[in-house]
Amino acid sequence: MPDIHVQTGIKLERLKNRMKTMAQIGATDKGGVSRLALTEEDRKARKLFIQWMQELGLTTRVDDLGNIYGRLEGIDPKASPVLTGSHLDSVPKGGKFDGTLGVLAALEAVETIKEKGIKPLRSIEIVSFTNEEGARFTPQMLGSGVIAGKFTKDYVYGRKDAEGLLFKEELERIGFMGCPENRITCANSFVELHIEQGPILEAEEKSIGVVEGIAGFYWLKLKVSGQSDHSGSTPMNMRKDSLVAASSIITDIYQWASERKDGLVATVGQIQAFPGIINAIPGETVFTLDIRHADPEKLEEAVSEATSIIQQSSADVTITEIGSNPPVRFSKEVTSLIEESCKDANVSYRKIISGAGHDAMYMNNITETAMIFVPSTNGKSHCEEEHTAYPDIEKGANVLYLTLWKLANR
């Protein structure tokens, strides 16, 4: 393998300038971005990304999901390529690092390799996946999900946003309906650089998280039934308030999850009381429960325990599963190469499990996959205050650069 040295690694100022330029597309007043999938802002970001790749001399293409690829040709063009990238879409009033960093750090890493004047054995392809966030078209990770066989194209094309607009029609409207022949069908490996979106790396003063896997999840919807009555004329001792019953269940679940101490997390993210007016007792309350764990057996055990706690309530409760995904374990060989790159770059690191889903979760179904995390300031993400310090970004991009070179020449 030709030698490359981290002392002549990525150029942070170049990456920083691209990050700042991209952040102007969909910029919010408080320093974040709103760049939902297949909107005008998304179209502008895609155009700019393609422009930068073409200026670098990469071969670009778009597939029938709108996934964008840029290819640096290797010595053996028939060898399966190494993939790297993330996404450009955001949540409403989200941060400018989530997803975008993984795409632009990949571009910087490939440009750095190209500047060495030494071709890698395998081609390296940068990919920006469509609709990772799921903020406009649910569920999340539609672009990578079709590639990995999780969803069918027809299913994705038929997804509608809150205004009833179809995914397929919006993809065509912004001019990014590509060809099915352009999809990636064979990959040697996939590496995704991403912000942690949590507080662990910062708290432990580690520059890099070597991500060994992604926690599995169960999403449940609970409907608590009671009796809707007038708020003024119904005595307190004669009420069947569904919201009060729901709050008791939520408190019990929170207490149970807090006491486990094994990495389990449980979250009530949505709650709605009906009829939802100030002068009526809630006759029905609906809320969601998100349960996550990195161990498949413990995840199943946790769902069983949570269900038991809910059923022990005296309330009339209906439980419906609305989504799930088993825990994901990444490639030991690829994570080992990331560790090796951290040592080569002389940066601190720790092994970590991602609590959030990423495109890498689905790509793991079709190729050897791993992720690189960089710290999130105060653990914040999916908000305008989201931030990652540029010295940490430089370290993460250098680790990505070294890892891609190792993968492309193994």
Side-chain angles (χ1 to χ4, degrees), residues 286-308:
V286 178
F287 64 94
T288 60
L289 178 59
D290 177 331
I291 301 174
R292 302 190 185 215
H293 203 288
D295 182 278
E297 291 184 2
K298 289 185 177 180
L299 177 60
E300 294 291 340
E301 174 188 287
V303 173
S304 178
E305 288 183 9
T307 301
S308 178

Side-chain angles (χ1 to χ4, degrees), residues 19 22 30 61 64 85 103 146 183 190 194 199 201 216 227-228 230 235 245 266 279 304 309 329 343 360 368 392 407:
M19 289 290 296
M22 186 63 77
K30 295 181 180 179
R61 68 186 193 277
D64 53 334
V103 172
V146 174
R183 289 190 204 176
F190 175 71
H194 207 281
L201 294 178
Q227 177 63 51
S228 182
H230 195 285
N279 59 348
S304 178
I309 290 169
R329 300 301 296 183
K343 293 172 183 175
E368 290 185 274
D392 288 323
L407 288 169

Side-chain angles (χ1 to χ4, degrees), residues 26-101:
T28 65
D29 294 339
K30 295 181 180 179
V33 295
S34 285
R35 199 163 56 228
L36 274 66
L38 311 188
T39 59
E40 181 62 17
E41 291 78 17
D42 188 25
R43 185 191 68 80
K44 290 178 180 178
R46 288 162 170 268
K47 289 284 190 181
L48 180 60
F49 176 51
I50 290 175
Q51 175 189 321
W52 283 337
M53 291 198 293
Q54 290 177 344
E55 289 173 350
L56 186 54
L58 303 186
T59 304
T60 60
R61 68 186 193 277
V62 179
D63 69 20
D64 53 334
L65 283 306
N67 298 321
I68 302 169
Y69 307 86
R71 181 180 175 97
L72 175 67
E73 200 70 70
I75 295 172
D76 183 0
K78 294 183 179 179
S80 56
V82 173
L83 264 63
T84 182
S86 193
H87 61 96
L88 289 169
D89 65 312
S90 81
V91 298
K93 294 187 177 180
K96 55 181 175 283
F97 297 91
D98 179 0
T100 301
L101 176 60

Side-chain angles (χ1 to χ4, degrees), residues 38 46 62-67 153 157 167-180 182:
L38 311 188
R46 288 162 170 268
V62 179
D63 69 20
D64 53 334
L65 283 306
N67 298 321
K153 182 171 73 172
Y157 279 1
F167 180 101
K168 180 182 180 182
E169 293 176 357
E170 290 297 277
L171 186 61
E172 291 172 335
R173 183 187 63 80
I174 68 166
F176 276 86
M177 174 64 79
C179 302
N182 288 340

Side-chain angles (χ1 to χ4, degrees), residues 223-225 241-242 245-246 249 310-318:
K223 183 174 73 173
V224 182
S225 299
D241 191 321
S242 65
I249 293 171
I310 294 164
Q311 291 174 340
Q312 288 174 15
S313 166
S314 58
D316 180 3
V317 186
T318 302

Side-chain angles (χ1 to χ4, degrees), residues 321-343:
E321 181 184 324
I322 56 175
S324 66
N325 204 80
V328 170
R329 300 301 296 183
F330 288 145
S331 163
K332 289 184 178 180
E333 183 172 353
V334 180
T335 53
S336 293
L337 287 176
I338 294 172
E339 281 193 81
E340 183 182 299
S341 297
C342 288
K343 293 172 183 175

Side-chain angles (χ1 to χ4, degrees), residues 184-323:
I184 189 70
T185 56
C186 181
N188 170 268
S189 51
F190 175 71
V191 180
E192 181 175 2
L193 172 67
H194 207 281
I195 61 172
E196 182 194 353
Q197 300 182 284
I200 296 173
L201 294 178
E202 184 183 52
E204 297 187 6
E205 298 183 340
K206 301 295 184 184
S207 297
I208 299 293
V210 180
V211 187
E212 296 184 295
I214 297 177
F217 67 83
Y218 270 90
W219 288 348
L220 306 176
K221 182 172 75 173
L222 286 78
K223 183 174 73 173
V224 182
S225 299
Q227 177 63 51
S228 182
D229 289 303
H230 195 285
S231 64
S233 56
T234 308
M236 296 301 292
N237 65 344
M238 299 179 68
R239 297 183 177 210
K240 294 181 179 179
D241 191 321
S242 65
L243 182 56
V244 171
S247 65
S248 178
I249 293 171
I250 293 168
T251 300
D252 290 344
I253 291 292
Y254 189 90
Q255 184 67 30
W256 158 77
S258 300
E259 292 173 353
R260 280 187 61 110
K261 310 294 185 185
D262 64 349
L264 173 87
V265 290
T267 306
V268 172
Q270 295 178 334
I271 185 166
Q272 190 171 9
F274 299 94
I277 57 177
I278 194 169
N279 59 348
I281 298 165
E284 182 178 281
T285 299
V286 178
F287 64 94
T288 60
L289 178 59
D290 177 331
I291 301 174
R292 302 190 185 215
H293 203 288
D295 182 278
E297 291 184 2
K298 289 185 177 180
L299 177 60
E300 294 291 340
E301 174 188 287
V303 173
S304 178
E305 288 183 9
T307 301
S308 178
I309 290 169
I310 294 164
Q311 291 174 340
Q312 288 174 15
S313 166
S314 58
D316 180 3
V317 186
T318 302
I319 305 172
T320 305
E321 181 184 324
I322 56 175

